[in-house]
Amino acid sequence: MKIESVATARLVLHPLGEGEAERVIARESGDGDRWGAEYPGDGDVRAATGFLRGLAERGDPGVFRPYEIRLDGVTVGGIGFHGPPDELGVVTIGYGLTPAVRGNGYASEALRALLETARVAGVAGVKGDADLDNPASHRVMEAAGMRCVAQDDQLRHFYLGF
């Protein structure tokens, strides 16, 4: 299945394929990969590992996959779905940027695009969470339209319903 890239004003969200995921896990770029400094991060490796596990267990997830965040053609982070929608039609998201590009609104821009992808795909809602000591991530989700719906002793939980 061919999944299209998602373009924003400044970014391109490139859907991760199987070979790309394998390279991310190995932390070894291949021909045509343009990775920024400090990419992939640990979160990117975890996302690629989960993606490959899901491919083996459930097959291709369509749009519900990880995406590379590209700025001027260079991969500077990742964003994506942790898997297909659950039994309630809700998907979980995650994201991260390399330190060099943080603080420029790229994560919120990428998240808004991913939320629109989820909406168009027909999900009921999108959830995400962030550690209590990560207010930057809280601001990203709030800037993209998600609202804090719960908090426990470790995490703030965010949600956007459609």
Side-chain angles (χ1 to χ4, degrees):
M1 171 184 295
K2 172 81 169 127
I3 305 298
E4 298 297 322
S5 294
V6 178
T8 72
R10 302 178 294 171
L11 306 169
V12 171
L13 306 184
H14 173 76
L16 210 62
E18 186 173 2
E20 291 163 316
E22 290 169 349
R23 292 192 302 276
V24 166
I25 292 167
R27 296 182 194 253
E28 294 180 7
S29 61
D31 291 341
D33 291 329
R34 293 181 57 207
W35 291 356
E38 300 185 64
Y39 180 83
D42 293 342
D44 301 299
V45 171
R46 282 191 302 274
T49 300
F51 171 62
L52 291 181
R53 185 174 34 255
L55 278 177
E57 294 171 0
R58 298 181 299 272
D60 193 297
V63 299
F64 302 109
R65 65 180 57 241
Y67 294 76
E68 292 179 331
I69 300 172
R70 294 181 177 176
L71 175 64
D72 297 326
V74 176
T75 303
V76 295
I79 190 167
F81 302 100
H82 291 192
D86 65 16
E87 63 280 353
L88 299 174
V90 175
V91 290
T92 303
I93 53 91
Y95 51 84
L97 290 172
T98 60
V101 300
R102 292 179 187 157
N104 293 295
Y106 299 135
S108 296
E109 184 175 330
L111 181 54
R112 282 190 291 274
L114 195 70
L115 292 171
E116 179 62 9
T117 298
R119 187 193 67 76
V120 169
V123 303
V126 177
K127 63 183 178 178
D129 57 54
D131 291 338
L132 292 179
D133 64 354
N134 190 352
S137 189
H138 305 164
R139 287 190 299 272
V140 166
M141 287 186 269
E142 289 167 346
M146 299 179 77
R147 297 291 167 244
C148 181
V149 295
Q151 180 173 311
D152 56 37
D153 59 344
Q154 296 178 351
L155 300 170
R156 288 189 78 191
H157 302 271
F158 293 82
Y159 183 79
L160 178 64
F162 299 114

